[in-house]
Amino acid sequence: MIDIDAALASLSLDDKCRLVAGETNWRTKAFPEAGIPQLKMSDGPTGVRGEGHGSAGTPGVAVPAGIALGASWDPDLLADIGGLLGTEAVRKRAHVLLGPTVNLHRTPVGGRTFECYSEDPELSGALAAAYVGAVQKHGVAVTVKHFVCNDTEIDRMTVDVDVDERALRELYLRPFERAVKEGGAWGIMSAYNRLDGDHAAENRRLLTDILRDEWGFDGFVVSDWFGVHEPVGAANAGLSLEMPAPVRVYGQRLADAVERGDVTEETVDGLVSDLLVVMNRTLADERSCDEPEESIDDPVERALTRRAAIAGTVLLRNDHVDALDRPVLPIPLDGLGSVTVIGPNAVIDRSMGGGSASLTPFGHRTLLDALTDRLATRSPSTTVGYEPGVRIDRLTPIVRRNQLRTPDGEPGLRLEYVNSRDWDAPTAIDTTTTSSMLRFFGTTPEEIDALAFGARVSGSFIPEVDGPHVIGVVSTGPVTMTATVEGQHPVVVVDDPDMRIPRTREFFGYGGEESTAVVDAVAGEPIAISVKWATAADNGFAALRIGVRSPDPADLFEQAVVAAQAADVAVVVVGTNDEWETEGFDRETMDLPGRQNELVEAVAAANPNTVVVVNAGSPVTMDWADGGPESASAVVTSFFAGQEQAEAMVDVLLGDADPGGRLPTTYPARLADHPAIDNHTPTYTESGPPSQRYAEGLFIGHRHYERSGISPRFWFGHGLSYGSAEWGSVEVSATEVSVDALEGGITLTVPVTNDSDRDATVVVQGYVAPVAPPVERPDRELKAWAKAVVAPGTSTAVTLDFGTDAFHHWDESTGAWTVAPGEYDLVIAPSADPGVEHDRIRINVT
Ligand code: BGC
């Protein structure tokens, strides 16, 4: 244990100011003479990535993305997942896990909607509290992020959020409050954006008044990466640590601010002590981060991530089809002759979202592989076919290893690192890359200077078909590339040594526009490629992406429809990929990319036995899911469900598991219906930062649809089970309670009886609906819920507890939570859809 007082006494002012800034991308600086070790952090939140990036990352467990965990509605499951991630963090020698992400789904198009749990503050808060407590049991700190209102990727570093106090308290702060008060979080990450004019990292009201003084937080606050701008504001606000290196704000600038008297040394001592406290909590002086990261692929952990994926899989529709005389799902194996799998996402592993939440997972299964293998053992006479049907790539596709050859004829490409931005410098490391995408974030082979290096990439691409192939390249730095087919002149794909190509949204805005060139290729005859590339940004972020688009048959779409018609069952996998949905930018539309909507309609029309699997991390437009004549009868989504996504989806499709999820967010019919869309894009003025007004106030998500009478495509809370259950009459512990006695809670008991021959998953949801509130309130707010799996022929009783928090609202006049006496209905329902209420119990709060 570090003796905090002694350590503080032995550090000079300069040392202290240096300690509160990063030494690398993921570590703080050690002061061995003061007994202070390095503190290592890792992303988060859907696995523990460790210090490597991309193909250089140490493989680890990838659990379902936040939205999929949100769809489980199960805090106990989140505790299991948190426990697993705590174990993983210890294996990866990390003391701090950068997560969970608890921003709300303010819009369906946020680039990080997939990473956050829900549109609902209580669901998010309960799940976060369970996750946090479980991670920390392993002596690993969390940083609940991004504090607060980082709900868009548009101008995320500069945007100034303008939100009313009640909405801030009742919605956006609430998951953080629960993670701190109930979960006991040891860390918080400040957001990139501003709130009321000040950057979150320099916002004293957030970091001290609310977080520490009101909520009693006693941990450390880390800036989001590069998200702190000015030492005086940050130190006085209570920002404990600037990340990552190189030091830009704390360090010498902070020491100078102390010398000037703008920050007191006592304040700096407070920041240092925040950091030493977290080091002690995480036993940083006993757990050295210099030990190698460890990868353990444990079958028990795989089973847990699979269970989690199933628990978050939402069956959106499953109609009874007359021609089949049953619902489409699950697919019966009896007499199953053939299945056609359709869609580009069936053959990629799109099980996690892009950006900082991604890692190298154990296993890269595709749905096509998982289904083919399972049917081979379970139903050997069933044939499985595949048709892409459409393409959805925005850029030329990254190339698979088996289509690449090094100059020595091995799979992959030759990669020569040079220790200079001069790409013609002598080779420092001669190696092979198995992917045509290279990404670095401060982490390069040890001998290579992560801030200034270059690379030469060479080898060839082996075409599988004849015809024009489009070769593309996207780079964050200077680049030149040629492609050559033997016997032809080399084709220049790009020649940009001075980085004149305009930057775009690729690679967080560091990437240039894609450059392309066409070569005429013959199947089997190599296209030689030669690339020279160097880094540019001084923050260690660098990437090179090489892609090849092969020609498609003219009837790609029609072939899929014909195959669907001939098969017993068609499984269409639609979705996004990380060119459309990722950290770094918001989507411009909720529509599926490419001709995927048309594809679903054509396949569903060709075969009534069609299942649509939606593989997207946030809502998409699904006009074909409305029950109309050209509708798909069975629609299921597991969002981005982690490393076991494919196996879990096959479990559900074949009926080995019940789809256990309920939507944690409302699916609008059209993006234009959504409450925050009109003011999603910030307002720009000549002076001052872009401003984003949260004009919808308290009415985000389902609350808006109830108030406006607009029907969403699918309501918050919606989800079907293969089994069915009868909900009995609700019993209530009291119908008249004084405000003071509310803390003891009101308990509702709901008997649930399975009346089918399959397991039934139920999520009994309890909404509070104030009858005549003295201030404007949403029609109903989720305050309690219970999930149960009921076996055929059995009954259970679930209980829902409503305490003071279930009735309170934020009183702006007193600046505190308050419960207004009066009547409230407790609504028991399977979703937020006002049309499907089970019961309503009136309570008089006196
Ligand atoms: C993200 C954080 C992440 C950090 C480190 C930032 O861009 O906003 O969520 O933890 O990078 O990767």
Side-chain angles (χ1 to χ4, degrees), residues 771-842:
V771 176
V775 291
E776 186 178 40
R777 292 190 67 166
D779 288 353
R780 67 184 66 197
E781 293 167 29
L782 179 77
K783 294 295 180 179
W785 63 94
K787 184 173 186 178
V789 179
V790 194
T794 69
S795 297
T796 191
V798 301
T799 55
L800 275 62
D801 292 318
F802 298 82
T804 309
D805 290 1
F807 298 89
H808 70 191
H809 70 274
W810 185 260
D811 184 344
E812 282 175 288
S813 63
T814 60
W817 293 106
T818 185
V819 175
E823 291 187 318
Y824 295 81
D825 282 348
L826 303 185
V827 179
I828 301 302
S831 78
D833 180 353
V836 298
E837 281 178 16
H838 169 64
D839 205 352
R840 214 172 235 267
I841 308 286
R842 183 143 305 177

Side-chain angles (χ1 to χ4, degrees), residues 390-548:
V390 296
R391 300 280 177 212
I392 63 168
D393 307 293
R394 194 163 52 78
L395 305 171
T396 53
I398 294 166
V399 186
R400 284 171 295 143
R401 173 175 183 265
N402 56 3
Q403 269 193 285
L404 297 173
R405 291 289 176 280
T406 66
D408 297 336
E410 298 299 321
L413 293 171
R414 180 180 188 190
L415 170 60
E416 293 168 84
Y417 287 101
V418 300
N419 226 337
S420 153
R421 283 185 176 157
D422 169 12
W423 55 44
D424 288 321
T427 304
I429 299 180
D430 196 345
T431 181
T432 302
T433 170
T434 52
S435 163
S436 67
M437 157 96 102
L438 301 174
R439 232 178 338 174
F440 307 90
F441 188 19
T443 324
T444 42
E446 220 171 287
E447 313 84 300
I448 299 296
D449 175 357
L451 299 185
F453 69 101
R456 294 185 291 268
V457 179
S458 55
S460 51
F461 168 83
I462 315 293
E464 286 171 347
V465 290
D466 293 349
H469 282 63
V470 184
I471 318 284
V473 65
V474 179
S475 165
T476 56
V479 63
T480 133
M481 175 178 184
T482 57
T484 318
V485 174
E486 211 178 280
Q488 298 179 19
H489 286 298
V491 172
V492 176
V493 182
V494 64
D495 186 19
D496 188 31
D498 302 321
M499 281 182 71
R500 292 187 197 279
I501 293 178
R503 299 298 102 185
T504 62
R505 67 187 195 184
E506 308 309 336
F507 299 120
F508 304 103
Y510 294 107
E513 258 168 27
E514 182 177 47
S515 307
T516 56
V518 180
V519 295
D520 221 354
V522 176
E525 293 192 6
I527 303 172
I529 55 185
S530 169
V531 185
K532 292 179 178 182
W533 168 88
T535 55
D538 59 7
N539 60 12
F541 185 78
L544 171 70
R545 181 190 190 286
I546 303 165
V548 180

Side-chain angles (χ1 to χ4, degrees), residues 340-345 347 386-393 397 465 549-564 572 594-596 598-600 602-603:
T340 289
V341 180
I342 297 169
N345 277 36
V347 291
Y386 172 68
E387 292 291 338
V390 296
R391 300 280 177 212
I392 63 168
D393 307 293
V465 290
R549 180 175 295 122
S550 310
D552 279 327
D555 58 352
L556 190 75
F557 187 97
E558 291 72 20
Q559 278 181 18
V561 180
V562 169
V572 190
R595 295 175 67 194
Q596 296 186 94
E598 259 180 88
L599 182 69
V600 171
V603 171

Side-chain angles (χ1 to χ4, degrees), residues 34 61 80 85 95 154 283 413 463 724 729 752 779-780 801 816 836:
V61 179
D80 293 344
L85 295 176
H95 306 108
I154 306 177
L283 303 180
L413 293 171
S724 69
S729 48
V752 181
D779 288 353
R780 67 184 66 197
D801 292 318
V836 298

Side-chain angles (χ1 to χ4, degrees), residues 26 43 98 112 145-146 156 189 192 224-225 356 583:
W26 309 109
D43 277 315
L98 302 174
R112 298 180 90 167
K145 65 191 190 181
H146 310 84
R156 64 177 176 166
M189 183 189 287
Y192 280 133
D224 197 349
W225 268 223
S356 59
E583 176 182 342

Side-chain angles (χ1 to χ4, degrees), residues 198-282:
D198 289 330
H199 270 107
E202 288 140 35
N203 197 311
R204 184 172 168 89
R205 178 167 178 250
L206 282 178
L207 303 193
T208 295
D209 300 351
I210 295 178
L211 185 61
R212 293 181 192 274
D213 297 349
E214 280 185 35
W215 297 350
F217 175 75
D218 63 358
F220 83 119
V221 181
V222 61
S223 70
D224 197 349
W225 268 223
F226 311 107
V228 53
H229 308 270
E230 193 272 312
V232 176
N236 288 335
L239 182 90
S240 325
L241 177 63
E242 171 196 354
M243 281 300 285
V247 188
R248 292 163 307 119
V249 176
Y250 279 176
Q252 193 55 50
R253 285 179 69 194
L254 180 57
D256 292 346
V258 176
E259 298 295 344
R260 282 198 313 270
D262 292 339
V263 175
T264 65
E265 185 155 358
E266 219 182 336
T267 299
V268 175
D269 286 354
L271 308 181
V272 170
S273 127
D274 293 345
L275 210 56
L276 299 182
V277 166
V278 75
M279 287 180 185
N280 278 343
R281 285 175 164 167
T282 59

